[in-house]
Amino acid sequence: MAIIEVHDIGKRYGPKIAVDSVSFSVAEGEIFGVLGPNGAGKTTTVECVAGLRTPDRGSVSVLGRAPAESRAAIGVQLQASELPERMRVGEALKLFSSFYPKPVDWSERLGLTEHLSAEYGRLSGGLKQRLSIALALVGGPRVAILDELTTGLDPQARRDTWSVIEDVRAAGVTILLVTHFMEEAERLCDRVAVIRGGRVVALDTPAGLVSRVDGSTRVRFVPSAPIDLDALLALPDVAGVDLVGEQVVVTGGENVLASVTSSLARKQIVARQLRVDQVSLDDAYVELTGGRDGADR
């Protein structure tokens, strides 16, 4: 069942068109990603879903009603959420809980219990994000909108936050996740809408988007001895060979690694600094959209 329906919405700020004919639906229980570079229109799109902005045209429904009528069922973590530096974690949770008739305490599940007396300004980036999620969920929403949740976090804090998001979904919350990190979308999202220039340019599962582009594998290495590039090009499953400085770059099908390493072994050549690159969601994004564009709204 679709819990969010966005149909042909448009939004402009003066002469600037931020969102242009965006449509998608989100099924109950999904983690649905909205991807795109700065300036794509993704934040404006989800603010319309959250009821924080009204589209100039088109329609949005959450749980079958207008966002303003479903506000109690929507939890929002905004990109620029901040609290007073000296407010303690427990104080923030108590304050936000007072806004709802039946608040839900996420502090234990989000690892905040031992930090209740800590001041907001002294929290690490990861703990600030956990608190932000807890405040977004304190009303017991059925839908959580999380905007650029892991921007500015170090790699470990980012991965810890991903685990938190998976736990939130496991608790029955549908998640609309805004991100420009392709690795994040691949890890978390069931489906993604890629927005560029205010339009949806692709909508599919992460794997589905990757499958639309050239599936070549790239093998990179520095040979321990001079190597015949033409001989490499003649190997089975090899489509191309390039020399980049000392590094040899071989492209081909899924068996290209085995083909190249077997040939090198027969000639007693060691492949130093060996690396294998396969098509990722980031590669798919660049190919599907033709690159990245300007500043966000």
Side-chain angles (χ1 to χ4, degrees), residues 133-197:
I133 296 170
L135 298 179
L137 299 176
V138 72
R142 292 180 60 185
V143 175
I145 297 174
L146 308 177
D147 188 4
E148 300 287 7
L149 189 65
T150 61
T151 296
L153 298 186
D154 63 63
Q156 185 58 56
R158 181 173 295 131
R159 282 162 176 74
D160 290 344
T161 303
W162 293 349
S163 296
V164 169
I165 294 171
E166 290 169 333
D167 290 343
V168 171
R169 193 260 287 274
V173 180
T174 300
I175 296 173
L176 185 60
L177 177 68
V178 182
T179 184
H180 64 266
F181 292 116
M182 301 301 153
E183 183 185 2
E184 184 164 285
E186 283 189 294
R187 160 77 180 263
L188 295 174
C189 297
D190 300 298
R191 291 186 302 137
V192 296
V194 180
I195 297 180
R196 180 175 185 265

Side-chain angles (χ1 to χ4, degrees), residues 44-114:
T44 297
T45 297
V46 298
E47 286 178 346
C48 290
V49 175
L52 300 175
R53 296 188 187 273
T54 302
D56 298 329
R57 60 179 171 83
S59 63
V60 179
S61 68
V62 180
L63 296 169
R65 296 171 292 175
E69 298 172 0
S70 303
R71 194 158 291 162
I74 305 172
V76 182
Q77 177 270 331
L78 295 175
Q79 184 175 350
S81 299
E82 289 289 339
L83 292 171
E85 292 286 297
R86 299 193 65 181
M87 177 175 276
R88 299 184 186 278
V89 171
E91 292 172 338
L93 291 168
K94 184 176 180 180
L95 174 63
F96 276 66
S97 295
S98 70
F99 301 155
Y100 301 95
K102 295 181 179 179
V104 180
D105 184 1
W106 281 81
S107 58
E108 184 173 351
R109 278 179 283 184
L110 296 181
L112 294 172
T113 306
E114 62 189 76

Side-chain angles (χ1 to χ4, degrees), residues 209-231:
L209 291 181
V210 171
S211 71
R212 298 187 192 189
V213 301
D214 175 22
S216 296
T217 298
R218 291 183 293 273
V219 179
R220 304 172 184 269
F221 63 94
V222 175
S224 62
I227 192 169
D228 184 348
L229 299 184
D230 289 334

Side-chain angles (χ1 to χ4, degrees), residues 219 235-237 253-264 266:
V219 179
L235 292 174
D237 224 29
E254 61 182 12
N255 295 317
V256 65
L257 176 62
S259 186
V260 169
T261 53
S262 296
S263 175
L264 295 177
R266 287 194 297 271

